[in-house]
């Protein structure tokens, strides 16, 4: 498989697939309290349609697939779907991003179906605060899910924390300490303005988080890459796990971007932070051949912009993060 590069010579080998826009939470940075207009079921790609897209993408050199949502574990049939994906030749890394609420009861079957690992979004270790940030979630269930994922071998477990000033930024040391005794990768994510105009007052840069973490000791940069994403990793002295920083705002990593996104309604989105999408659902439903699908996927890859334009205060307004998948 030769692999495809975009028009800026970036090799594209990673597809993030949102399998639903539904979610059992309403995190404050992701969805408005009233929720968003949900896609009618018939407008969502079926699992068979997604499998066809992944087959075509794998032929083009896509080898890493991440399943996301909304919350991917609320979609019925997700375990058998993972089983189908895991049997597609050329896909060597199959992962999933979840809020963890349903992970405790599904981890074992997901692992058996062929899922390699999970990222769990967790923004606080305090039950009341968790309820407030997620507008109703139960932290205990998420912690149970993380333990279960670790036990069944969905590892390395990565925890994603979106840092917000005055909301959870007083917990960055607690999160970093988790990596001392657990082989977990804790990643601090800069909050992005997606579907909400302008920068948020509670944005905290990774530079600031990193400075605060020096209270725990020297952060040693890890030369090796962990996973397929943009995080830069460090380790505290003698820690089992690592600390990562995802810095879309303060230090744009567009030059290394290797990904393409598929939305639940079948739009191929070349860039998370730009609104343009290439429609795959219509050709799929008109019976497009794998060859035709490959050519549409190539078209989306070539449409990848060189970088995002958040610095000029241009952010996508067409969708919220829950509708794209993060
Ligand atoms: N429901 C799953 C979850 O929460 O992990 C998967 C979908 S969620 C949209 C994917 C990721 O996007 C999560 O890690 C979440 O924290 C992140 N996210 C959502 N809104 C964000 C924002 N405005 N800025 C940065 N990250 C965001
Ligand atoms: Fe749902 Fe994930 Fe968005 Fe939270 S971050 S509202 S769990 S999709």
């Amino acid at each position: 498989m030769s692999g495809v590069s975009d028009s800026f010579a970036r090799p594209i080998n990673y597809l993030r697939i949102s399998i639903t826009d539904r979610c059992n939470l309403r995190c404050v940075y992701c969805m408005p309290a009233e929720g968003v207009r949900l896609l009618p079921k018939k407008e969502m790609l079926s699992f068979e349609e997604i499998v066809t897209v992944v087959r075509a993408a794998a032929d083009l050199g896509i080898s890493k697939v991440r399943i996301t949502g909304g919350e991917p574990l609320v979609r019925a049939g997700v375990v058998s779907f993972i089983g189908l994906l895991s049997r597609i030749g050329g896909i060597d890394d199959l992962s999933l991003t979840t809020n963890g609420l349903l992970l405790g009861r599904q981890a074992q079957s997901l692992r058996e179906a062929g899922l390699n690992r999970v990222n769990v979004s967790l923004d606080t270790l305090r039950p009341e605060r968790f309820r407030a940030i997620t507008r109703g979630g139960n932290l205990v269930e998420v912690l149970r899910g993380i333990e279960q994922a670790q036990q069944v071998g969905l590892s390395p477990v990565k925890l994603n924390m979106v840092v917000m000033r005055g909301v959870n930024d007083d917990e960055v040391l607690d999160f970093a300490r988790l990596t001392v005794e657990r082989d977990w990768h804790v990643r601090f994510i800069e909050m992005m303005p997606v579907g909400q105009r302008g920068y948020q007052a509670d944005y905290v840069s990774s530079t600031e988080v990193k400075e605060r973490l020096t209270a725990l000791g020297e952060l040693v940069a890890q030369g090796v890459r962990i996973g397929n994403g943009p995080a830069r990793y460090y380790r505290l002295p003698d820690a089992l796990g690592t600390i990562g920083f995802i810095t879309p705002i303060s230090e744009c990593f567009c030059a290394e971007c290797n990904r393409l996104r598929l939305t639940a309604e079948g739009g191929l989105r070349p860039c998370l932070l730009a609104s343009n999408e290439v429609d795959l659902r219509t050709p799929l439903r008109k019976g497009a051949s794998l060859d035709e699908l490959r050519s549409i996927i190539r078209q989306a890859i070539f449409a990848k912009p060189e970088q995002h334009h958040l610095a000029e205060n241009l952010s996508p307004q067409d969708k919220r993060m829950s509708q794209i998948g993060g």
Side-chain angles (χ1 to χ4, degrees), residues 36-55:
V36 290
R37 189 191 80 87
L38 295 176
L39 289 171
K41 288 251 165 61
K42 62 177 185 332
E43 288 182 20
M44 281 186 355
L45 291 192
S46 67
F47 282 144
E48 292 71 21
E49 286 169 329
I50 300 175
V51 167
T52 305
V53 174
V54 175
R55 282 215 179 92

Side-chain angles (χ1 to χ4, degrees), residues 20-32 68-72 97-101 121 123 133-135 162 321-323 325-326:
T20 180
D21 57 347
R22 271 93 171 142
C23 187
N24 44 3
L25 294 178
R26 295 270 180 284
C27 302
V28 289
Y29 47 75
C30 181
M31 263 207 223
T68 171
E71 172 48 41
T97 297
T98 172
N99 62 32
L101 272 183
S121 304
D123 303 312
I133 294 176
T134 60
R135 301 196 179 98
V162 178
M321 204 65 108
S322 64
Q323 297 166 302

Side-chain angles (χ1 to χ4, degrees), residues 172-225:
V172 294
L173 294 184
D174 296 341
F175 271 82
R177 278 191 202 99
L178 290 176
T179 67
V180 175
E181 295 192 350
R182 307 298 303 255
D183 180 17
W184 290 344
H185 301 302
V186 168
R187 291 125 49 92
F188 297 105
I189 302 181
E190 291 179 343
M191 189 166 61
M192 289 174 265
V194 170
Q196 30 191 329
R197 217 163 268 289
Y199 287 90
Q200 307 299 295
D202 37 12
Y203 161 78
V204 182
S205 75
S206 288
T207 314
E208 181 178 335
V209 175
K210 208 185 285 177
E211 272 165 22
R212 293 201 205 172
L213 297 190
T214 54
L216 297 177
E218 190 194 357
L219 283 176
V220 180
Q222 303 295 289
V224 288
R225 228 185 153 77

